[in-house]
């Protein structure tokens, strides 16, 4: 089974703050760097292009939460491998951005918004798969708190069983990895648990080592 990638979410409010987070070697310890939604809102494509230039060998995500088709080419012009889309966006919009991304060797990630049955359904997922979208980001429901549970893991497994490459997010910490162990995940996103650590690079290294132990 493939070992999931470790992704850092740069949900910072400025480039200066993002580089403070990445200082000390954090950028070298993770597999994927996510230019967070807030960072894009505050700094625009400037942030995407600078981070892309500084980390040319890393997989990179522009977490733009797109819902408008003509924004897609502008965001993807930053050279990231992935761009995120808002799950309630119309399927015609998803299809248009997916087509453009595929043409340029890039991919769309749909981030599930809201709880199952409230924000999205399995029927929606099947429709997106028919559009050629293979990447899903599963964030724990906003009503959830505390450690990840068997119910969370079972839901992720259902998404994987549908043939999606699934990225897990939502307050994931070192201690949550045991609950996710064995799932065929594409990536695990750690944001606050790494950014707020006394030594973010060391915490990322600890988490990445545990991922390799659990999925070997």
């Amino acid at each position: 089974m493939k070992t999931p990638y470790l992704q850092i979410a740069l949900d910072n409010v400025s480039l200066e703050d993002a580089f403070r987070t990445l200082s000390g070697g954090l950028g070298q310890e993770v597999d994927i760097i996510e230019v967070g939604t807030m960072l894009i809102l505050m700094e625009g494509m400037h942030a995407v292009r600078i981070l892309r230039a500084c980390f040319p060998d890393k997989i990179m995500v522009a977490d733009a939460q797109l819902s408008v088709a003509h924004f897609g080419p502008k965001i993807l012009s930053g050279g990231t491998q992935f761009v995120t889309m808002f799950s309630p966006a119309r399927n015609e919009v998803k299809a248009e951005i997916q087509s453009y991304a595929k043409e340029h060797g890039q991919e769309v990630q749909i981030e599930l918004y809201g709880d199952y049955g409230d924000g999205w359904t399995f029927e929606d997922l099947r429709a997106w798969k028919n559009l050629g979208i293979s990447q899903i980001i599963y964030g724990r429901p906003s009503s959830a708190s505390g450690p990840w549970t068997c119910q969370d893991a079972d839901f992720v497994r259902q998404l994987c069983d549908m043939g999606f490459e699934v990225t897990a997010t939502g307050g994931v910490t070192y201690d949550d990895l045991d609950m996710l162990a064995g799932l065929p995940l594409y990536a695990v996103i750690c944001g606050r648990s790494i950014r707020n650590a006394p030594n973010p690079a060391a915490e990322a290294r600890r988490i990445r080592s545990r991922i390799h132990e659990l999925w070997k």
Side-chain angles (χ1 to χ4, degrees):
M1 182 182 295
K2 172 189 167 297
T3 302
Y5 291 122
L6 174 59
Q7 178 170 330
I8 178 64
L10 295 178
D11 293 317
N12 304 77
V13 297
S14 69
L15 262 174
E16 292 85 354
D17 190 41
F19 277 109
R20 275 192 291 271
T21 296
L22 291 167
S23 65
L26 175 59
Q28 282 67 51
E29 296 296 341
V30 298
D31 304 296
I32 303 176
I33 295 174
E34 171 193 326
V35 189
T37 310
M38 181 58 69
L39 185 54
I40 293 174
L41 285 172
M42 298 300 290
E43 297 277 11
M45 287 301 297
H46 180 66
V48 177
R49 293 194 178 95
I50 285 186
L51 287 165
R52 174 76 286 171
C54 290
F55 297 94
D57 298 327
K58 293 294 179 180
I59 301 170
M60 194 162 287
V61 177
D63 189 18
Q65 295 286 341
L66 290 172
S67 60
V68 180
H70 68 268
F71 288 172
K74 294 178 174 60
I75 298 295
L76 287 164
S77 70
T80 62
Q81 283 87 346
F82 298 105
V83 64
T84 65
M85 287 200 66
F86 192 48
S87 58
R90 292 181 295 113
N91 283 353
E92 310 91 87
V93 174
K94 291 186 179 76
E96 188 170 338
I97 295 177
Q98 163 67 10
S99 176
Y100 181 89
K102 185 177 180 181
E103 182 182 343
H104 292 81
Q106 296 161 292
E107 292 187 64
V108 165
Q109 292 181 317
I110 304 293
E111 184 160 4
L112 301 180
Y113 177 79
D115 296 347
Y116 170 70
D118 182 22
W120 51 275
T121 66
F122 281 104
E123 185 178 347
D124 292 323
L125 287 160
R126 284 188 285 271
W128 303 339
K129 202 164 193 307
N130 288 336
L131 295 175
I133 293 169
S134 61
Q135 290 265 343
I136 292 292
I137 302 172
Y138 174 75
R140 294 180 76 201
S142 56
S143 56
S145 60
W148 280 60
T149 66
C150 290
Q151 184 178 4
D152 296 318
D154 287 345
F155 222 110
V156 171
R157 187 176 296 281
Q158 290 182 68
L159 298 175
C160 294
D161 289 345
M162 292 180 72
F164 287 107
E165 293 188 299
V166 181
T167 293
T169 188
V172 180
T173 68
Y174 179 93
D175 294 331
D176 290 315
L177 296 174
D178 282 27
M179 184 58 67
L180 297 170
L183 293 171
L185 294 171
Y186 178 77
V188 175
I189 299 177
C190 292
R192 293 184 302 274
S193 62
I194 289 178
R195 291 198 316 273
N196 295 343
N199 186 330
E203 181 63 8
R205 190 160 49 248
R206 186 172 80 110
I207 289 173
R208 193 177 186 189
S209 176
R210 184 60 175 156
I211 287 172
H212 282 269
E213 288 175 6
L214 292 171
W215 272 266
K216 67 181 178 181

mmCIF file of all heavy atoms in Angstrom, residues 143-191:
data_model
loop_
_atom_site.group_PDB
_atom_site.id
_atom_site.type_symbol
_atom_site.label_atom_id
_atom_site.label_comp_id
_atom_site.label_asym_id
_atom_site.label_seq_id
_atom_site.Cartn_x
_atom_site.Cartn_y
_atom_site.Cartn_z
ATOM 1 N N SER A 143 -19.312 19.724 12.982
ATOM 2 C CA SER A 143 -19.885 19.396 14.287
ATOM 3 C C SER A 143 -18.980 18.484 15.104
ATOM 4 O O SER A 143 -19.181 18.297 16.303
ATOM 5 C CB SER A 143 -21.243 18.698 14.089
ATOM 6 O OG SER A 143 -21.101 17.546 13.268
ATOM 7 N N ALA A 144 -17.954 17.894 14.450
ATOM 8 C CA ALA A 144 -17.070 16.953 15.143
ATOM 9 C C ALA A 144 -16.040 17.695 15.983
ATOM 10 O O ALA A 144 -15.631 18.801 15.669
ATOM 11 C CB ALA A 144 -16.370 16.054 14.139
ATOM 12 N N SER A 145 -15.615 17.058 17.057
ATOM 13 C CA SER A 145 -14.557 17.616 17.895
ATOM 14 C C SER A 145 -13.783 16.458 18.514
ATOM 15 O O SER A 145 -14.242 15.318 18.528
ATOM 16 C CB SER A 145 -15.142 18.514 19.003
ATOM 17 O OG SER A 145 -16.004 17.769 19.838
ATOM 18 N N GLY A 146 -12.597 16.761 19.025
ATOM 19 C CA GLY A 146 -11.793 15.717 19.629
ATOM 20 C C GLY A 146 -11.082 14.867 18.594
ATOM 21 O O GLY A 146 -11.026 15.210 17.413
ATOM 22 N N PRO A 147 -10.540 13.720 19.024
ATOM 23 C CA PRO A 147 -9.776 12.857 18.119
ATOM 24 C C PRO A 147 -10.654 12.269 17.007
ATOM 25 O O PRO A 147 -11.877 12.219 17.119
ATOM 26 C CB PRO A 147 -9.264 11.745 19.041
ATOM 27 C CG PRO A 147 -9.399 12.265 20.427
ATOM 28 C CD PRO A 147 -10.566 13.207 20.402
ATOM 29 N N TRP A 148 -9.997 11.831 15.955
ATOM 30 C CA TRP A 148 -10.691 11.125 14.878
ATOM 31 C C TRP A 148 -11.243 9.810 15.426
ATOM 32 O O TRP A 148 -10.651 9.197 16.318
ATOM 33 C CB TRP A 148 -9.749 10.869 13.710
ATOM 34 C CG TRP A 148 -9.573 12.076 12.829
ATOM 35 C CD1 TRP A 148 -9.087 13.295 13.194
ATOM 36 C CD2 TRP A 148 -9.895 12.167 11.438
ATOM 37 N NE1 TRP A 148 -9.083 14.149 12.120
ATOM 38 C CE2 TRP A 148 -9.563 13.482 11.018
ATOM 39 C CE3 TRP A 148 -10.403 11.274 10.499
ATOM 40 C CZ2 TRP A 148 -9.749 13.917 9.714
ATOM 41 C CZ3 TRP A 148 -10.583 11.701 9.186
ATOM 42 C CH2 TRP A 148 -10.263 13.018 8.808
ATOM 43 N N THR A 149 -12.384 9.381 14.881
ATOM 44 C CA THR A 149 -13.089 8.206 15.388
ATOM 45 C C THR A 149 -13.190 7.114 14.318
ATOM 46 O O THR A 149 -12.878 7.339 13.141
ATOM 47 C CB THR A 149 -14.515 8.586 15.817
ATOM 48 O OG1 THR A 149 -15.261 8.978 14.640
ATOM 49 C CG2 THR A 149 -14.509 9.745 16.812
ATOM 50 N N CYS A 150 -13.666 5.944 14.737
ATOM 51 C CA CYS A 150 -13.918 4.845 13.792
ATOM 52 C C CYS A 150 -14.928 5.268 12.729
ATOM 53 O O CYS A 150 -14.823 4.866 11.566
ATOM 54 C CB CYS A 150 -14.448 3.624 14.538
ATOM 55 S SG CYS A 150 -13.228 2.821 15.591
ATOM 56 N N GLN A 151 -15.900 6.086 13.111
ATOM 57 C CA GLN A 151 -16.900 6.559 12.156
ATOM 58 C C GLN A 151 -16.242 7.412 11.068
ATOM 59 O O GLN A 151 -16.561 7.285 9.887
ATOM 60 C CB GLN A 151 -17.980 7.362 12.873
ATOM 61 C CG GLN A 151 -19.118 7.807 11.951
ATOM 62 C CD GLN A 151 -20.211 8.557 12.704
ATOM 63 O OE1 GLN A 151 -20.091 8.824 13.903
ATOM 64 N NE2 GLN A 151 -21.276 8.896 12.004
ATOM 65 N N ASP A 152 -15.317 8.284 11.467
ATOM 66 C CA ASP A 152 -14.582 9.090 10.486
ATOM 67 C C ASP A 152 -13.805 8.185 9.537
ATOM 68 O O ASP A 152 -13.831 8.364 8.315
ATOM 69 C CB ASP A 152 -13.593 10.033 11.189
ATOM 70 C CG ASP A 152 -14.271 11.068 12.064
ATOM 71 O OD1 ASP A 152 -15.298 11.622 11.629
ATOM 72 O OD2 ASP A 152 -13.780 11.308 13.177
ATOM 73 N N ALA A 153 -13.102 7.216 10.103
ATOM 74 C CA ALA A 153 -12.282 6.311 9.290
ATOM 75 C C ALA A 153 -13.153 5.497 8.335
ATOM 76 O O ALA A 153 -12.780 5.277 7.175
ATOM 77 C CB ALA A 153 -11.471 5.393 10.197
ATOM 78 N N ASP A 154 -14.312 5.042 8.793
ATOM 79 C CA ASP A 154 -15.219 4.271 7.929
ATOM 80 C C ASP A 154 -15.712 5.111 6.755
ATOM 81 O O ASP A 154 -15.848 4.610 5.634
ATOM 82 C CB ASP A 154 -16.414 3.763 8.740
ATOM 83 C CG ASP A 154 -16.036 2.628 9.684
ATOM 84 O OD1 ASP A 154 -14.947 2.052 9.518
ATOM 85 O OD2 ASP A 154 -16.829 2.336 10.614
ATOM 86 N N PHE A 155 -15.966 6.383 7.019
ATOM 87 C CA PHE A 155 -16.428 7.272 5.943
ATOM 88 C C PHE A 155 -15.328 7.457 4.906
ATOM 89 O O PHE A 155 -15.577 7.424 3.697
ATOM 90 C CB PHE A 155 -16.846 8.619 6.520
ATOM 91 C CG PHE A 155 -18.101 9.154 5.911
ATOM 92 C CD1 PHE A 155 -19.280 9.223 6.619
ATOM 93 C CD2 PHE A 155 -18.107 9.581 4.587
ATOM 94 C CE1 PHE A 155 -20.451 9.696 6.035
ATOM 95 C CE2 PHE A 155 -19.265 10.056 4.002
ATOM 96 C CZ PHE A 155 -20.443 10.111 4.731
ATOM 97 N N VAL A 156 -14.110 7.653 5.372
ATOM 98 C CA VAL A 156 -12.983 7.800 4.450
ATOM 99 C C VAL A 156 -12.826 6.532 3.618
ATOM 100 O O VAL A 156 -12.583 6.586 2.408
ATOM 101 C CB VAL A 156 -11.687 8.116 5.223
ATOM 102 C CG1 VAL A 156 -10.482 8.049 4.293
ATOM 103 C CG2 VAL A 156 -11.772 9.490 5.869
ATOM 104 N N ARG A 157 -12.983 5.370 4.255
ATOM 105 C CA ARG A 157 -12.839 4.104 3.532
ATOM 106 C C ARG A 157 -13.882 3.989 2.418
ATOM 107 O O ARG A 157 -13.590 3.497 1.322
ATOM 108 C CB ARG A 157 -12.955 2.921 4.493
ATOM 109 C CG ARG A 157 -12.633 1.586 3.819
ATOM 110 C CD ARG A 157 -12.650 0.450 4.813
ATOM 111 N NE ARG A 157 -11.625 0.574 5.835
ATOM 112 C CZ ARG A 157 -10.348 0.263 5.640
ATOM 113 N NH1 ARG A 157 -9.941 -0.179 4.462
ATOM 114 N NH2 ARG A 157 -9.482 0.390 6.625
ATOM 115 N N GLN A 158 -15.099 4.443 2.683
ATOM 116 C CA GLN A 158 -16.137 4.406 1.643
ATOM 117 C C GLN A 158 -15.734 5.238 0.430
ATOM 118 O O GLN A 158 -15.949 4.828 -0.714
ATOM 119 C CB GLN A 158 -17.459 4.926 2.206
ATOM 120 C CG GLN A 158 -18.124 4.011 3.213
ATOM 121 C CD GLN A 158 -19.454 4.575 3.682
ATOM 122 O OE1 GLN A 158 -20.414 4.654 2.928
ATOM 123 N NE2 GLN A 158 -19.511 4.977 4.942
ATOM 124 N N LEU A 159 -15.144 6.392 0.682
ATOM 125 C CA LEU A 159 -14.697 7.247 -0.418
ATOM 126 C C LEU A 159 -13.573 6.568 -1.203
ATOM 127 O O LEU A 159 -13.553 6.602 -2.438
ATOM 128 C CB LEU A 159 -14.217 8.590 0.128
ATOM 129 C CG LEU A 159 -15.256 9.443 0.860
ATOM 130 C CD1 LEU A 159 -14.591 10.693 1.441
ATOM 131 C CD2 LEU A 159 -16.390 9.844 -0.064
ATOM 132 N N CYS A 160 -12.640 5.952 -0.481
ATOM 133 C CA CYS A 160 -11.550 5.235 -1.145
ATOM 134 C C CYS A 160 -12.095 4.075 -1.969
ATOM 135 O O CYS A 160 -11.627 3.827 -3.094
ATOM 136 C CB CYS A 160 -10.550 4.716 -0.111
ATOM 137 S SG CYS A 160 -9.644 5.992 0.802
ATOM 138 N N ASP A 161 -13.080 3.371 -1.421
ATOM 139 C CA ASP A 161 -13.661 2.224 -2.118
ATOM 140 C C ASP A 161 -14.373 2.629 -3.401
ATOM 141 O O ASP A 161 -14.572 1.799 -4.303
ATOM 142 C CB ASP A 161 -14.629 1.467 -1.206
ATOM 143 C CG ASP A 161 -13.912 0.699 -0.094
ATOM 144 O OD1 ASP A 161 -12.682 0.521 -0.196
ATOM 145 O OD2 ASP A 161 -14.583 0.282 0.878
ATOM 146 N N MET A 162 -14.774 3.903 -3.495
ATOM 147 C CA MET A 162 -15.402 4.410 -4.717
ATOM 148 C C MET A 162 -14.364 4.688 -5.804
ATOM 149 O O MET A 162 -14.723 5.010 -6.938
ATOM 150 C CB MET A 162 -16.196 5.681 -4.425
ATOM 151 C CG MET A 162 -17.436 5.468 -3.572
ATOM 152 S SD MET A 162 -18.332 7.026 -3.272
ATOM 153 C CE MET A 162 -19.029 7.327 -4.919
ATOM 154 N N GLY A 163 -13.090 4.574 -5.457
ATOM 155 C CA GLY A 163 -12.039 4.796 -6.436
ATOM 156 C C GLY A 163 -11.413 6.167 -6.391
ATOM 157 O O GLY A 163 -10.597 6.506 -7.266
ATOM 158 N N PHE A 164 -11.757 6.964 -5.372
ATOM 159 C CA PHE A 164 -11.165 8.294 -5.245
ATOM 160 C C PHE A 164 -9.807 8.218 -4.548
ATOM 161 O O PHE A 164 -9.565 7.325 -3.723
ATOM 162 C CB PHE A 164 -12.067 9.218 -4.437
ATOM 163 C CG PHE A 164 -13.300 9.673 -5.159
ATOM 164 C CD1 PHE A 164 -14.548 9.164 -4.818
ATOM 165 C CD2 PHE A 164 -13.222 10.601 -6.189
ATOM 166 C CE1 PHE A 164 -15.693 9.587 -5.483
ATOM 167 C CE2 PHE A 164 -14.359 11.029 -6.861
ATOM 168 C CZ PHE A 164 -15.596 10.515 -6.506
ATOM 169 N N GLU A 165 -8.933 9.162 -4.888
ATOM 170 C CA GLU A 165 -7.722 9.396 -4.115
ATOM 171 C C GLU A 165 -8.112 10.415 -3.055
ATOM 172 O O GLU A 165 -8.438 11.559 -3.385
ATOM 173 C CB GLU A 165 -6.608 9.915 -5.016
ATOM 174 C CG GLU A 165 -6.131 8.887 -6.023
ATOM 175 C CD GLU A 165 -4.893 9.352 -6.776
ATOM 176 O OE1 GLU A 165 -4.979 10.396 -7.464
ATOM 177 O OE2 GLU A 165 -3.855 8.691 -6.675
ATOM 178 N N VAL A 166 -8.076 10.000 -1.801
ATOM 179 C CA VAL A 166 -8.656 10.799 -0.717
ATOM 180 C C VAL A 166 -7.564 11.416 0.149
ATOM 181 O O VAL A 166 -6.610 10.752 0.552
ATOM 182 C CB VAL A 166 -9.580 9.936 0.160
ATOM 183 C CG1 VAL A 166 -10.195 10.780 1.283
ATOM 184 C CG2 VAL A 166 -10.679 9.294 -0.692
ATOM 185 N N THR A 167 -7.736 12.699 0.418
ATOM 186 C CA THR A 167 -6.885 13.421 1.361
ATOM 187 C C THR A 167 -7.710 13.688 2.615
ATOM 188 O O THR A 167 -8.838 14.168 2.526
ATOM 189 C CB THR A 167 -6.399 14.746 0.748
ATOM 190 O OG1 THR A 167 -5.513 14.458 -0.343
ATOM 191 C CG2 THR A 167 -5.659 15.590 1.773
ATOM 192 N N ALA A 168 -7.161 13.349 3.772
ATOM 193 C CA ALA A 168 -7.866 13.528 5.045
ATOM 194 C C ALA A 168 -7.398 14.797 5.731
ATOM 195 O O ALA A 168 -6.196 15.060 5.828
ATOM 196 C CB ALA A 168 -7.633 12.324 5.952
ATOM 197 N N THR A 169 -8.366 15.574 6.219
ATOM 198 C CA THR A 169 -8.031 16.818 6.912
ATOM 199 C C THR A 169 -9.055 17.081 8.011
ATOM 200 O O THR A 169 -10.119 16.475 8.047
ATOM 201 C CB THR A 169 -7.978 17.998 5.919
ATOM 202 O OG1 THR A 169 -7.477 19.162 6.592
ATOM 203 C CG2 THR A 169 -9.353 18.319 5.347
ATOM 204 N N GLY A 170 -8.718 18.007 8.880
ATOM 205 C CA GLY A 170 -9.635 18.370 9.960
ATOM 206 C C GLY A 170 -9.031 18.111 11.323
ATOM 207 O O GLY A 170 -9.425 17.167 12.012
ATOM 208 N N GLY A 171 -8.044 18.923 11.688
ATOM 209 C CA GLY A 171 -7.454 18.800 13.024
ATOM 210 C C GLY A 171 -6.643 17.539 13.227
ATOM 211 O O GLY A 171 -6.520 17.046 14.362
ATOM 212 N N VAL A 172 -6.058 16.987 12.158
ATOM 213 C CA VAL A 172 -5.275 15.751 12.289
ATOM 214 C C VAL A 172 -4.006 16.015 13.095
ATOM 215 O O VAL A 172 -3.250 16.946 12.797
ATOM 216 C CB VAL A 172 -4.903 15.175 10.904
ATOM 217 C CG1 VAL A 172 -4.096 13.881 11.078
ATOM 218 C CG2 VAL A 172 -6.150 14.909 10.070
ATOM 219 N N THR A 173 -3.781 15.176 14.099
ATOM 220 C CA THR A 173 -2.579 15.268 14.926
ATOM 221 C C THR A 173 -1.813 13.948 14.850
ATOM 222 O O THR A 173 -2.288 12.958 14.279
ATOM 223 C CB THR A 173 -2.936 15.527 16.401
ATOM 224 O OG1 THR A 173 -3.579 14.347 16.931
ATOM 225 C CG2 THR A 173 -3.878 16.715 16.543
ATOM 226 N N TYR A 174 -0.646 13.940 15.449
ATOM 227 C CA TYR A 174 0.165 12.713 15.527
ATOM 228 C C TYR A 174 -0.659 11.564 16.095
ATOM 229 O O TYR A 174 -0.617 10.437 15.595
ATOM 230 C CB TYR A 174 1.388 12.993 16.394
ATOM 231 C CG TYR A 174 2.311 11.811 16.596
ATOM 232 C CD1 TYR A 174 3.399 11.603 15.758
ATOM 233 C CD2 TYR A 174 2.104 10.921 17.649
ATOM 234 C CE1 TYR A 174 4.257 10.523 15.948
ATOM 235 C CE2 TYR A 174 2.951 9.835 17.849
ATOM 236 C CZ TYR A 174 4.016 9.639 16.993
ATOM 237 O OH TYR A 174 4.854 8.562 17.190
ATOM 238 N N ASP A 175 -1.427 11.841 17.150
ATOM 239 C CA ASP A 175 -2.182 10.781 17.820
ATOM 240 C C ASP A 175 -3.334 10.245 16.981
ATOM 241 O O ASP A 175 -3.824 9.142 17.234
ATOM 242 C CB ASP A 175 -2.717 11.288 19.157
ATOM 243 C CG ASP A 175 -1.600 11.595 20.156
ATOM 244 O OD1 ASP A 175 -0.538 10.944 20.058
ATOM 245 O OD2 ASP A 175 -1.792 12.471 21.014
ATOM 246 N N ASP A 176 -3.799 10.999 15.985
ATOM 247 C CA ASP A 176 -4.902 10.541 15.134
ATOM 248 C C ASP A 176 -4.448 9.552 14.064
ATOM 249 O O ASP A 176 -5.278 8.874 13.445
ATOM 250 C CB ASP A 176 -5.571 11.734 14.440
ATOM 251 C CG ASP A 176 -6.343 12.610 15.401
ATOM 252 O OD1 ASP A 176 -7.076 12.068 16.250
ATOM 253 O OD2 ASP A 176 -6.204 13.845 15.307
ATOM 254 N N LEU A 177 -3.154 9.466 13.824
ATOM 255 C CA LEU A 177 -2.663 8.645 12.717
ATOM 256 C C LEU A 177 -3.006 7.176 12.894
ATOM 257 O O LEU A 177 -3.285 6.471 11.916
ATOM 258 C CB LEU A 177 -1.157 8.830 12.555
ATOM 259 C CG LEU A 177 -0.694 10.236 12.167
ATOM 260 C CD1 LEU A 177 0.824 10.317 12.173
ATOM 261 C CD2 LEU A 177 -1.248 10.632 10.799
ATOM 262 N N ASP A 178 -3.013 6.688 14.132
ATOM 263 C CA ASP A 178 -3.351 5.284 14.365
ATOM 264 C C ASP A 178 -4.761 4.956 13.874
ATOM 265 O O ASP A 178 -5.010 3.861 13.369
ATOM 266 C CB ASP A 178 -3.252 4.950 15.852
ATOM 267 C CG ASP A 178 -1.807 4.758 16.318
ATOM 268 O OD1 ASP A 178 -0.908 5.359 15.688
ATOM 269 O OD2 ASP A 178 -1.586 4.018 17.279
ATOM 270 N N MET A 179 -5.687 5.901 14.027
ATOM 271 C CA MET A 179 -7.065 5.683 13.587
ATOM 272 C C MET A 179 -7.158 5.618 12.064
ATOM 273 O O MET A 179 -8.012 4.916 11.502
ATOM 274 C CB MET A 179 -7.965 6.805 14.127
ATOM 275 C CG MET A 179 -9.444 6.634 13.802
ATOM 276 S SD MET A 179 -10.163 5.087 14.411
ATOM 277 C CE MET A 179 -10.058 5.367 16.190
ATOM 278 N N LEU A 180 -6.278 6.329 11.380
ATOM 279 C CA LEU A 180 -6.306 6.363 9.918
ATOM 280 C C LEU A 180 -5.441 5.281 9.282
ATOM 281 O O LEU A 180 -5.492 5.067 8.070
ATOM 282 C CB LEU A 180 -5.824 7.734 9.430
ATOM 283 C CG LEU A 180 -6.687 8.934 9.830
ATOM 284 C CD1 LEU A 180 -5.967 10.237 9.489
ATOM 285 C CD2 LEU A 180 -8.032 8.880 9.149
ATOM 286 N N ALA A 181 -4.631 4.607 10.098
ATOM 287 C CA ALA A 181 -3.671 3.631 9.587
ATOM 288 C C ALA A 181 -4.350 2.574 8.727
ATOM 289 O O ALA A 181 -5.423 2.057 9.064
ATOM 290 C CB ALA A 181 -2.930 2.965 10.743
ATOM 291 N N GLY A 182 -3.720 2.263 7.601
ATOM 292 C CA GLY A 182 -4.231 1.217 6.723
ATOM 293 C C GLY A 182 -5.178 1.702 5.653
ATOM 294 O O GLY A 182 -5.457 0.971 4.696
ATOM 295 N N LEU A 183 -5.681 2.927 5.776
ATOM 296 C CA LEU A 183 -6.548 3.475 4.737
ATOM 297 C C LEU A 183 -5.692 3.877 3.534
ATOM 298 O O LEU A 183 -4.623 4.465 3.706
ATOM 299 C CB LEU A 183 -7.312 4.693 5.258
ATOM 300 C CG LEU A 183 -8.345 4.433 6.350
ATOM 301 C CD1 LEU A 183 -8.859 5.752 6.914
ATOM 302 C CD2 LEU A 183 -9.508 3.608 5.807
ATOM 303 N N PRO A 184 -6.153 3.599 2.311
ATOM 304 C CA PRO A 184 -5.352 3.937 1.126
ATOM 305 C C PRO A 184 -5.450 5.421 0.781
ATOM 306 O O PRO A 184 -5.952 5.818 -0.276
ATOM 307 C CB PRO A 184 -5.960 3.044 0.040
ATOM 308 C CG PRO A 184 -7.392 2.890 0.449
ATOM 309 C CD PRO A 184 -7.376 2.855 1.963
ATOM 310 N N LEU A 185 -4.962 6.249 1.674
ATOM 311 C CA LEU A 185 -5.073 7.702 1.518
ATOM 312 C C LEU A 185 -4.051 8.231 0.520
ATOM 313 O O LEU A 185 -2.953 7.701 0.393
ATOM 314 C CB LEU A 185 -4.850 8.390 2.864
ATOM 315 C CG LEU A 185 -5.890 8.132 3.955
ATOM 316 C CD1 LEU A 185 -5.405 8.697 5.282
ATOM 317 C CD2 LEU A 185 -7.228 8.751 3.573
ATOM 318 N N TYR A 186 -4.427 9.313 -0.141
ATOM 319 C CA TYR A 186 -3.466 10.026 -0.987
ATOM 320 C C TYR A 186 -2.561 10.884 -0.114
ATOM 321 O O TYR A 186 -1.339 10.904 -0.296
ATOM 322 C CB TYR A 186 -4.196 10.902 -2.002
ATOM 323 C CG TYR A 186 -3.244 11.693 -2.883
ATOM 324 C CD1 TYR A 186 -2.584 11.071 -3.938
ATOM 325 C CD2 TYR A 186 -2.999 13.038 -2.638
ATOM 326 C CE1 TYR A 186 -1.689 11.780 -4.732
ATOM 327 C CE2 TYR A 186 -2.110 13.755 -3.437
ATOM 328 C CZ TYR A 186 -1.456 13.120 -4.477
ATOM 329 O OH TYR A 186 -0.568 13.820 -5.259
ATOM 330 N N ALA A 187 -3.174 11.600 0.832
ATOM 331 C CA ALA A 187 -2.394 12.498 1.693
ATOM 332 C C ALA A 187 -3.119 12.728 3.006
ATOM 333 O O ALA A 187 -4.329 12.505 3.122
ATOM 334 C CB ALA A 187 -2.148 13.835 0.991
ATOM 335 N N VAL A 188 -2.353 13.177 3.987
ATOM 336 C CA VAL A 188 -2.884 13.622 5.278
ATOM 337 C C VAL A 188 -2.467 15.076 5.449
ATOM 338 O O VAL A 188 -1.285 15.411 5.319
ATOM 339 C CB VAL A 188 -2.323 12.778 6.434
ATOM 340 C CG1 VAL A 188 -2.801 13.333 7.770
ATOM 341 C CG2 VAL A 188 -2.724 11.316 6.293
ATOM 342 N N ILE A 189 -3.454 15.932 5.707
ATOM 343 C CA ILE A 189 -3.158 17.357 5.913
ATOM 344 C C ILE A 189 -3.039 17.643 7.405
ATOM 345 O O ILE A 189 -3.944 17.320 8.178
ATOM 346 C CB ILE A 189 -4.257 18.262 5.316
ATOM 347 C CG1 ILE A 189 -4.384 18.047 3.811
ATOM 348 C CG2 ILE A 189 -3.951 19.738 5.608
ATOM 349 C CD1 ILE A 189 -5.512 18.855 3.168
ATOM 350 N N CYS A 190 -1.936 18.242 7.779
ATOM 351 C CA CYS A 190 -1.760 18.722 9.151
ATOM 352 C C CYS A 190 -1.532 20.222 9.076
ATOM 353 O O CYS A 190 -0.630 20.680 8.376
ATOM 354 C CB CYS A 190 -0.582 18.040 9.822
ATOM 355 S SG CYS A 190 -0.835 16.274 10.121
ATOM 356 N N GLY A 191 -2.345 20.947 9.777
ATOM 357 C CA GLY A 191 -2.219 22.402 9.787
ATOM 358 C C GLY A 191 -1.761 22.889 11.138
ATOM 359 O O GLY A 191 -0.564 23.020 11.407
#
